[in-house]
């Protein structure tokens, strides 16, 4: 009986492998390149996305010989607040609708360390595509690779239309906040 079951399962797998794959047609733009599709963040995947970003950032930092970062709940909260606020304002910028700066936001959530920097993005792309774009730009790359950083905050807000507002914040615990930043 086990042999029959094995043959039946093998036959079913073989038939499934021969079936035509269901693919979504690719829409091309006027330049002949595929148009981007909105990346939909599945419900319940928050931790997966946070740790994917953390692992990717730490791989980049390791390649540069700088210490790894750890997720920080306070910096995550500051990043989440800012991502939502950028969506409300409908513009990617570093100031909150109340005039708050990145330093104000990390202090509000009780982070006692020093803010190293904040990266933001308005996109329809995945977190790793966003990280790749940040790594192509010197100022945002410097925030990610700063050797004094030890903490990472990362969050997003996705609108119904698929647009994602990403915020990444880095900090150095135990260091006084930098005035005027």
């Amino acid at each position: 009986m086990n042999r029959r079951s094995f043959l039946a399962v093998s036959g079913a797998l073989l038939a499934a492998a021969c079936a035509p794959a269901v693919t979504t047609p690719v829409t091309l733009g006027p330049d002949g390149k595929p148009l981007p599709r909105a990346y939909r963040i599945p419900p319940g995947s928050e931790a997966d996305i946070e740790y994917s970003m953390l692992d990717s950032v730490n791989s980049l930092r390791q390649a540069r010989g700088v210490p790894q970062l750890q997720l920080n709940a306070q910096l995550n909260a500051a990043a989440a607040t800012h991502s939502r606020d950028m969506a409300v304002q409908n513009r990617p910028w570093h100031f909150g609708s109340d005039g708050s700066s990145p330093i104000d936001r990390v202090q509000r959530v009780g982070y006692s360390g020093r803010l190293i920097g904040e990266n933001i993005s308005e996109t329809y792309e995945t977190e790793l595509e966003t990280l790749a774009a940040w790594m192509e730009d010197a100022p945002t790359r410097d925030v990610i690779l700063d050797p004094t950083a030890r903490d990472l905050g990362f969050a997003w807000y996705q609108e119904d239309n698929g647009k994602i507002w990403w915020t990444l914040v880095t900090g150095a615990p135990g260091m006084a906040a930098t005035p005027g930043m």
Side-chain angles (χ1 to χ4, degrees):
M1 179 116 133
N2 285 339
R3 187 175 189 165
R4 284 185 203 162
S5 298
F6 174 74
L7 290 174
V9 169
S10 296
L13 289 174
L14 182 60
C18 293
V22 177
T23 59
T24 306
V26 174
T27 306
L28 301 179
D31 59 358
K33 295 182 180 176
L35 292 174
R37 287 188 233 173
Y39 167 61
R40 293 283 177 183
I41 298 173
S45 63
E46 290 81 7
D48 292 339
I49 291 173
E50 284 177 352
Y51 283 103
S52 172
M53 179 61 81
L54 177 66
D55 291 345
S56 298
V57 164
N58 280 336
S59 292
L60 293 166
R61 290 176 64 85
Q62 182 179 18
R64 292 288 177 99
V66 294
Q68 292 196 349
L69 301 180
Q70 62 182 1
L71 281 176
N72 178 281
Q74 293 163 322
L75 294 182
N76 280 350
T81 299
H82 193 55
S83 292
R84 175 73 172 122
D85 191 50
M86 286 189 297
V88 168
Q89 295 181 72
N90 196 33
R91 62 178 169 185
W93 75 324
H94 293 282
F95 293 95
S97 56
D98 62 355
S100 63
S101 70
I103 256 195
D104 296 329
R105 289 189 294 276
V106 300
Q107 288 175 342
R108 283 182 190 164
V109 296
Y111 186 72
S112 60
R114 180 172 61 93
L115 172 73
I116 300 298
E118 176 184 77
N119 290 347
I120 57 173
S121 181
E122 165 196 23
T123 185
Y124 292 89
E125 297 177 328
T126 69
E127 66 279 4
L128 298 182
E129 290 168 322
T130 302
L131 177 59
W134 285 333
M135 290 301 291
E136 291 177 8
D137 183 58
T140 54
R141 181 176 54 244
D142 291 347
V143 168
I144 293 163
L145 299 177
D146 188 299
T148 62
R150 297 294 182 275
D151 292 332
L152 173 74
F154 180 67
W156 63 91
Y157 177 78
Q158 186 164 34
E159 296 180 1
D160 291 339
N161 67 7
K163 184 189 292 184
I164 307 170
W165 302 86
W166 300 104
T167 305
L168 178 144
V169 181
T170 58
M175 300 179 81
T178 305
M181 186 170 175

